[in-house]
Amino acid sequence: MPEKESGEMSRRYLLKALGGGAALLGLSKLPSAMAQVSGQAIQPMPGFTGPDANPYWGAVGPFVIYPQKLPLIQLTDRPVQLESPRHYFLTPFTPNAAFYVRWHLEDIPNAVSLSEWRLFVEGHVEKTLALTMSDLIKRFKSISIVAVNQCSGNSRSRFQPRVPGAQWGNGAMGNALFTGVRLKDLLDAAGVKAGSLQVQFEGLDRGRGQKDSAVHRYKKSLNLDDPVINESIVAYEMNGEPIPMLNGFPVRLVVPGKFSTYWTKSLTWIRVLNEPDANFWMTKTYCVPDTPRGNTTPKDVRDSLVKLVPVGTMPVRSFIIIPDGSGKIPLEMPVIVRGIAFSGSGRVVSVEFSADDGAAWSKARLGEDYGRYSFRTWEVTWIPKHTGKYVLAVRATDEKGNTQPDEGVWNPKGYLWNRIERQEVMVDVSQ
Ligand SMILES: Nc1nc2c(c(=O)[nH]1)N[C@H]1C(S)=C(S)[C@@H](COP(=O)(O)O)O[C@H]1N2
Ligand SMILES: [Mo]
């Protein structure tokens, strides 16, 4: 990516160019200093993307257009990481063209010939399968499920202290109707041998460098005794359409309730293993502290006191989508506050709203129920009775009794954020 296109890169370049002294400059001084350093027009980085004064729901970045996509917020282009803008979350189903995108490796498929493509089921099985798309459609029963796809690092930009990785706002998530075949039906057709432990998934994307190195192939595994094996599907449709190339055409794994790191895109190899998968993507990343909420401290990490385990189920979350704080709200006008909620561990049973920064809560109306793994829309009619600043807040509870906490979480990779969300709004007698 050319450095001038990204505020993040520009700032890094600047800090490097100015050496340690840059840290002593006020942020407001950075743009002019940058202009002197590079001698070219620059786009200043917005002052704050952290949690305290964070006016941004989404990530900070330019809008870009990729094939089959509407303009999305770019975090990086190699690999491609694009965030969905806030207003696409007003509806329970996220349009395919607005659905966020996240790849890890640079070399991603941009065309797949279905006359050559096969889905392999191999490894510790009685009979290796090489299935065509037509086999999947005709030989196996089709099944549909509505499920939330959320990156483990969604909302990572809230972490304090900051952690490395894409500085996602809240839009590294989406909800869709996925249609395909049961993973279990494919495993049964191949015949899982006794003594098998896990099943590994690999797609068509490749990294640069040593071709066969595990790091240059994105591989993820699930335990065969995890109940989610029976719920997972190999999807060939998303919202009733072929899956967009960037979201994993021709088929992707859907693992309801689990973070999307397991939802392998352009899935081509399903491999039954008789020993635990210790590859990079299972043991070196996408791991969280084995503590309540995956919470720890930088000190405990430095002191090597933290045992890491693979990230799993998505904690309960809810979001305010409108009002978004970009305009004032007229005094005494009834406004409809709207948003979404979801949980990886069970149906959302209650969403509560507060107009006073979490002091008093009232129940929101829930929208249609599309299943326990779906976004659930919610709304509240709110009539502001005085002028001035309000802090709106929302909190969801799932059927297992999990409720959102009002504390952030901290872990070294920036996963599992689910703090109560807030939105500041101004109420006035005039716009
Ligand atoms: N083949 C492949 N599948 C993948 C990935 C990848 O890099 N390669 N990334 C995973 C991660 S971490 C995320 S967050 C989701 C993103 O899904 P999306 O791009 O459809 O939104 O894809 C998952 N599946
Ligand atoms: Mo992710």
Side-chain angles (χ1 to χ4, degrees):
M1 181 198 297
E3 289 185 334
K4 67 174 175 356
E5 278 178 23
S6 153
E8 171 83 357
M9 291 292 281
S10 306
R11 204 166 143 251
R12 220 182 278 153
Y13 171 66
L14 172 73
L15 293 173
K16 206 171 128 199
L18 294 185
L24 300 173
L25 296 173
L27 250 181
S28 60
K29 297 217 180 88
L30 291 183
S32 58
M34 178 68 187
Q36 281 166 20
V37 171
S38 67
Q40 63 189 8
I42 49 99
Q43 290 177 330
M45 173 95 169
F48 295 96
T49 55
D52 291 324
N54 187 1
Y56 304 108
W57 191 93
V60 178
F63 279 86
V64 292
I65 301 180
Y66 273 79
Q68 303 178 292
K69 291 287 169 184
L70 290 157
L72 300 176
I73 306 165
Q74 181 177 62
L75 285 101
T76 60
D77 67 352
R78 263 171 264 161
V80 184
Q81 298 194 85
L82 312 172
E83 179 168 323
S84 306
R86 184 175 189 172
H87 287 74
Y88 290 113
F89 299 102
L90 281 172
T91 54
F93 293 90
T94 317
N96 289 0
F99 214 96
Y100 87 101
V101 174
R102 198 269 188 261
W103 293 90
H104 293 78
L105 307 176
E106 288 189 18
D107 187 5
I108 57 173
N110 54 29
V112 176
S113 160
L114 291 182
S115 57
E116 284 157 42
W117 178 83
R118 298 288 182 275
L119 175 62
F120 299 98
V121 186
E122 58 180 36
H124 213 232
V125 293
E126 303 294 346
K127 189 175 85 180
T128 297
L129 306 180
L131 303 165
T132 63
M133 179 61 94
S134 150
D135 290 336
L136 287 177
I137 294 169
K138 293 200 195 127
R139 280 181 44 199
F140 296 88
K141 189 170 167 254
S142 104
I143 173 156
S144 295
I145 187 169
V146 182
V148 175
N149 161 349
Q150 183 188 209
C151 180
S152 324
N154 194 24
S155 314
R156 180 182 287 128
S157 59
R158 278 61 172 153
F159 273 62
Q160 285 292 322
R162 288 288 194 107
V163 291
Q167 296 301 303
W168 296 110
N170 288 334
M173 60 176 183
N175 188 50
L177 171 72
F178 292 97
T179 302
V181 305
R182 282 183 203 280
L183 171 65
K184 185 71 171 44
D185 289 350
L186 298 179
L187 293 174
D188 287 349
V192 171
K193 283 190 181 163
S196 303
L197 281 181
Q198 293 189 327
V199 53
Q200 186 186 61
F201 306 93
E202 182 180 334
L204 294 171
D205 44 329
R206 293 287 177 266
R208 287 191 302 193
Q210 287 168 287
K211 215 162 141 245
D212 293 327
S213 146
V215 180
H216 298 289
R217 289 168 179 238
Y218 185 79
K219 298 181 193 178
K220 297 294 297 192
S221 294
L222 293 170
N223 290 334
L224 278 164
D225 64 5
D226 187 327
V228 85
I229 292 281
N230 297 322
E231 289 195 272
S232 299
I233 71 170
V234 172
Y236 45 70
E237 272 181 26
M238 176 168 169
N239 290 327
E241 298 167 18
I243 298 173
M245 195 61 66
L246 287 166
N247 298 107
F249 183 86
V251 301
R252 90 170 301 164
L253 190 67
V254 171
V255 189
K258 295 234 191 215
F259 279 109
S260 188
T261 178
Y262 299 101
W263 296 39
T264 307
K265 300 196 280 187
S266 304
L267 175 64
T268 302
W269 293 273
I270 298 176
R271 202 170 287 131
V272 177
L273 308 179
N274 59 358
E275 51 189 42
D277 187 350
N279 101 77
F280 177 86
W281 305 102
M282 291 298 294
T283 55
K284 299 285 183 292
T285 189
Y286 287 108
C287 289
V288 290
D290 191 12
T291 58
R293 302 185 57 228
N295 204 22
T296 185
T297 61
K299 184 173 184 304
D300 280 1
V301 172
R302 276 196 304 275
D303 296 347
S304 304
L305 296 175
V306 182
K307 183 187 165 215
L308 296 172
V309 292
V311 70
T313 303
M314 299 186 291
V316 61
R317 296 196 73 174
S318 58
F319 298 88
I320 298 169
I321 306 302
I322 53 166
D324 66 1
S326 62
K328 289 183 202 164
I329 295 172
L331 181 65
E332 282 167 354
M333 178 184 280
V335 288
I336 302 185
V337 183
R338 295 171 64 192
I340 49 158
F342 65 93
S343 168
S345 53
R347 211 171 288 273
V348 169
V349 291
S350 142
V351 173
E352 293 161 289
F353 170 77
S354 166
D356 56 8
D357 201 8
W361 295 91
S362 60
K363 291 249 170 184
R365 297 185 290 278
L366 298 183
E368 199 161 330
D369 183 354
Y370 294 101
R372 55 182 289 216
Y373 297 113
S374 172
F375 280 164
R376 188 92 191 246
T377 54
W378 62 268
E379 62 174 49
V380 153
T381 307
W382 173 57
I383 306 176
K385 298 270 169 51
H386 65 80
T387 57
K389 189 178 95 174
Y390 283 80
V391 179
L392 312 182
V394 65
R395 145 178 111 183
T397 302
D398 69 24
E399 62 187 339
K400 299 270 164 60
N402 302 303
T403 302
Q404 289 178 260
D406 205 5
E407 295 94 49
V409 65
W410 194 91
N411 52 62
K413 294 279 181 179
Y415 302 140
L416 296 166
W417 187 264
N418 79 326
R419 185 181 181 171
I420 290 173
E421 294 285 327
R422 289 183 166 72
Q423 175 63 57
E424 268 185 26
V425 293
M426 284 299 291
V427 172
D428 208 342
V429 285
S430 65
Q431 270 284 350

